[in-house]
Amino acid sequence: MHRKLTVRDLRAGNRARVLRALYFDQPRSRQELAGITGLSQASVSNVVGELINDGVVVEAGQVDSDGGRPRVLLRVNPTFAAVVGVDVGETHVLVEVFDLTLRRLAMATFPMDPGAYPADEVARQVLVGLETCLAEAGVDDVLGVGVGLPGLVEQGVVYTQTVGWHGVPFERMLRAGTDLPLYLDNGANTLGQAESWFGAGRGTDDVVVALIGSGVGASVIAGGVPYRGVSGGAGEWGHTTVALDGRACRCGGAGCLEAYIGAAGVVERYRALEDGVPEEQEAALRALVGSDTPAAREVLAETARFAGLGIGNLINLFNPSLVVLGGWAGLLLGERLLDAIRAEAATHALRRSFEQVSITLCELGPESVALGAATLPVADLLAAGGVKRVPSRIG
C-alpha cells in the first residue's frame, strides 16, 4: 500500500528538484529553474525564498533579460557548510576539505606501507588528517565526512581480502574520534560518482568507471543509477578471472585481472625482468611508463593486453556508452597505453557494443577518489532539499 503524499512531502521534493538543478548548472535565474525543473514560477519562487532564508542558496548578480527587468541569478552558497573527502588507498591516506561547491580548502596525505595495513593505524591517520585539515581550513560547520575504501563496504563494516581485512568495523573505529556524520563506500564507487558529476561521465547515464591503483575495481552506473549488488559488492572487476591457473592474486585466488594490471602486479613483473627498479610502488610504475627498454616494452604490452581484455568484458557485460579509465595507476598507464588498450578491447568486445562505446581517461586526476567521497554528504543534502543531517557542527 502506497503512502499518500502530504504537502510537506511535495514541498521537500520541490526543494530537492530546485537545489539539484541549481547545484549542477549554476548560476541560474528563477525563470530558468522553472524551465529546468518543470515547476511553476510561483513554486520556484517559494522554494528559492526558503533556500535563501536557510542560507543554502545566495544571489549571484543579475543578467539582462529581453526587454524586461534584469533577472537575478542564483547559486549554491559555497560557505553554507564544508565537506570532507577521504581516500583510504593502499599506499596512502588522503584527507581533503572542500566548500559546498567542492572547491578544495585543505588537504593532507599520509603515506602507508602496502605490506603493513593495520586497520587501527589507518583509522588513526584518517582522524589525524581530519583534525589537521579542518583546523587549516578554518571551518566549524561540516555536512559530513565521506570515506572511499578498498574492498566491500557493508553498513560501515569493511571486507578487503587483499589486505587481510574481514569484517573490520571501520565506521565504529572512526566514530571513536569524531561525531560528524560519516559516509563510507568503496573507492571505485566514489571515483565513479565524481566522474559522473563533474568529469568524463557527466551527462552519461550508462557508464563504467574503471579504477586501477594498487588494486583494481569498477563503478557501474546503469540508467544514471549506481549498481551496487546485494550488499554493495558489485564492481569487483579486479577479481574476475582472466587466466585459469594464472598468477597468484593477493586475494588468495589465481588468474585475477588485478594480478595482471594492478600496480602491485605490474611492478612485480617489471622487477622480475629489470634491475634497478625503484622500491616505492608509484615511483616504480612511473619508471616503467617512462622507459623504453625491452623489458619495459614487454611488461607494458602485456598490461595493455589484459587491460583491454578486462574492458572488453565490461563492455560485453554492461553495454555502456562510456568506459572511463581512472585511478593513479590507470592514469599513468593510460597516458602511454590507451590506444593499445582500445585496440585490444575491440578484439574481445562484441562488435556492435564496441561501436557504441567510447573509452577515455578520467578527467579529475588521481585524487578523484577523495573528491568523490566528498560528494556523498553533498548528495545527501541535495536529496534532502538542503536540510542538514545533525550533528554537523564541530565540538
Side-chain angles (χ1 to χ4, degrees), residues 34-103:
I36 293 168
T37 62
L39 299 173
S40 69
Q41 291 205 17
S43 293
V44 168
S45 291
N46 288 336
V47 166
V48 166
E50 292 179 6
L51 294 172
I52 289 176
N53 288 337
D54 291 345
V56 69
V57 168
V58 292
E59 294 184 352
Q62 296 181 337
V63 63
D64 290 337
S65 60
D66 296 332
R69 291 184 301 175
R71 294 181 177 182
V72 175
L73 294 176
L74 305 160
R75 63 173 302 189
V76 170
N77 182 5
T79 63
F80 177 70
V83 291
V84 181
V86 180
D87 174 10
V88 177
E90 293 188 29
T91 60
H92 68 272
V93 171
L94 171 64
V95 181
E96 296 186 280
V97 177
F98 304 88
D99 69 17
L100 187 58
T101 58
L102 297 179
R103 180 179 66 89

Side-chain angles (χ1 to χ4, degrees), residues 339-355:
D339 287 343
I341 290 170
R342 285 190 185 117
E344 189 67 29
T347 69
H348 296 284
L350 293 171
R351 185 183 308 164
R352 181 56 181 154
S353 296
F354 189 78
E355 289 173 347

Side-chain angles (χ1 to χ4, degrees), residues 22-367:
L22 190 59
Y23 190 84
F24 290 109
D25 196 7
Q26 59 181 326
R28 288 289 183 181
S29 68
R30 290 168 175 80
Q31 292 87 343
E32 289 172 319
L33 286 171
I36 293 168
T37 62
L39 299 173
S40 69
Q41 291 205 17
S43 293
V44 168
S45 291
N46 288 336
V47 166
V48 166
E50 292 179 6
L51 294 172
I52 289 176
N53 288 337
D54 291 345
V56 69
V57 168
V58 292
E59 294 184 352
Q62 296 181 337
V63 63
D64 290 337
S65 60
D66 296 332
R69 291 184 301 175
R71 294 181 177 182
V72 175
L73 294 176
L74 305 160
R75 63 173 302 189
V76 170
N77 182 5
T79 63
F80 177 70
V83 291
V84 181
V86 180
D87 174 10
V88 177
E90 293 188 29
T91 60
H92 68 272
V93 171
L94 171 64
V95 181
E96 296 186 280
V97 177
F98 304 88
D99 69 17
L100 187 58
T101 58
L102 297 179
R103 180 179 66 89
R104 184 194 294 142
L105 303 176
M107 66 178 291
T109 304
F110 304 90
M112 296 292 297
D113 179 0
Y117 209 72
D120 56 350
E121 175 62 14
V122 175
R124 188 187 73 81
Q125 297 283 32
V126 172
L127 291 170
V128 169
L130 180 61
E131 181 179 2
T132 301
C133 288
L134 289 176
E136 180 184 338
V139 298
D140 62 358
D141 199 0
V142 180
L143 275 184
V145 180
V147 185
L149 292 142
L152 280 66
V153 182
E154 187 175 350
Q155 296 180 337
V157 179
V158 184
Y159 301 82
T160 311
Q161 208 161 305
T162 54
V163 298
W165 290 13
H166 187 78
V168 170
F170 201 74
E171 182 172 352
R172 191 175 72 197
M173 297 168 76
L174 294 179
R175 183 58 60 213
T178 182
D179 64 355
L180 292 173
L182 296 172
Y183 301 76
L184 276 62
D185 203 349
N186 173 269
N189 289 337
T190 71
L191 171 67
Q193 183 148 298
E195 283 295 320
S196 293
W197 279 26
F198 305 114
R202 185 170 185 181
T204 305
D205 285 341
D206 295 280
V207 56
V208 177
V209 181
L211 183 153
I212 304 177
S214 297
V216 174
S219 172
V220 179
I221 299 166
V225 179
Y227 177 71
R228 307 185 62 83
V230 68
S231 60
E236 286 294 333
W237 177 51
H239 300 290
T240 55
T241 302
V242 294
L244 290 174
D245 303 317
R247 289 182 197 154
C249 180
R250 299 180 303 159
C251 73
C256 294
L257 180 65
E258 182 173 301
Y260 293 86
I261 69 170
V266 173
V267 167
E268 181 181 358
R269 173 71 170 148
Y270 186 38
R271 287 200 176 107
L273 298 177
E274 190 85 272
D275 295 328
V277 177
E279 285 300 316
E280 197 270 326
Q281 190 176 96
E282 184 170 343
L285 194 65
R286 286 186 181 279
L288 168 62
V289 171
S291 177
D292 197 36
T293 65
R297 289 196 298 271
E298 179 180 338
V299 173
L300 289 170
E302 180 186 71
T303 303
R305 286 187 60 219
F306 278 98
L309 166 62
I311 289 174
N313 287 340
L314 289 174
I315 293 167
N316 290 339
L317 281 169
F318 299 109
N319 187 210
S321 59
L322 179 67
V323 174
V324 180
L325 181 60
W328 69 266
L331 288 172
L332 278 177
L333 293 166
E335 289 174 4
R336 178 160 174 179
L337 300 178
L338 189 59
D339 287 343
I341 290 170
R342 285 190 185 117
E344 189 67 29
T347 69
H348 296 284
L350 293 171
R351 185 183 308 164
R352 181 56 181 154
S353 296
F354 189 78
E355 289 173 347
Q356 297 171 317
V357 73
S358 297
I359 303 171
T360 190
L361 295 180
C362 165
E363 291 182 356
L364 299 177
E367 296 165 3

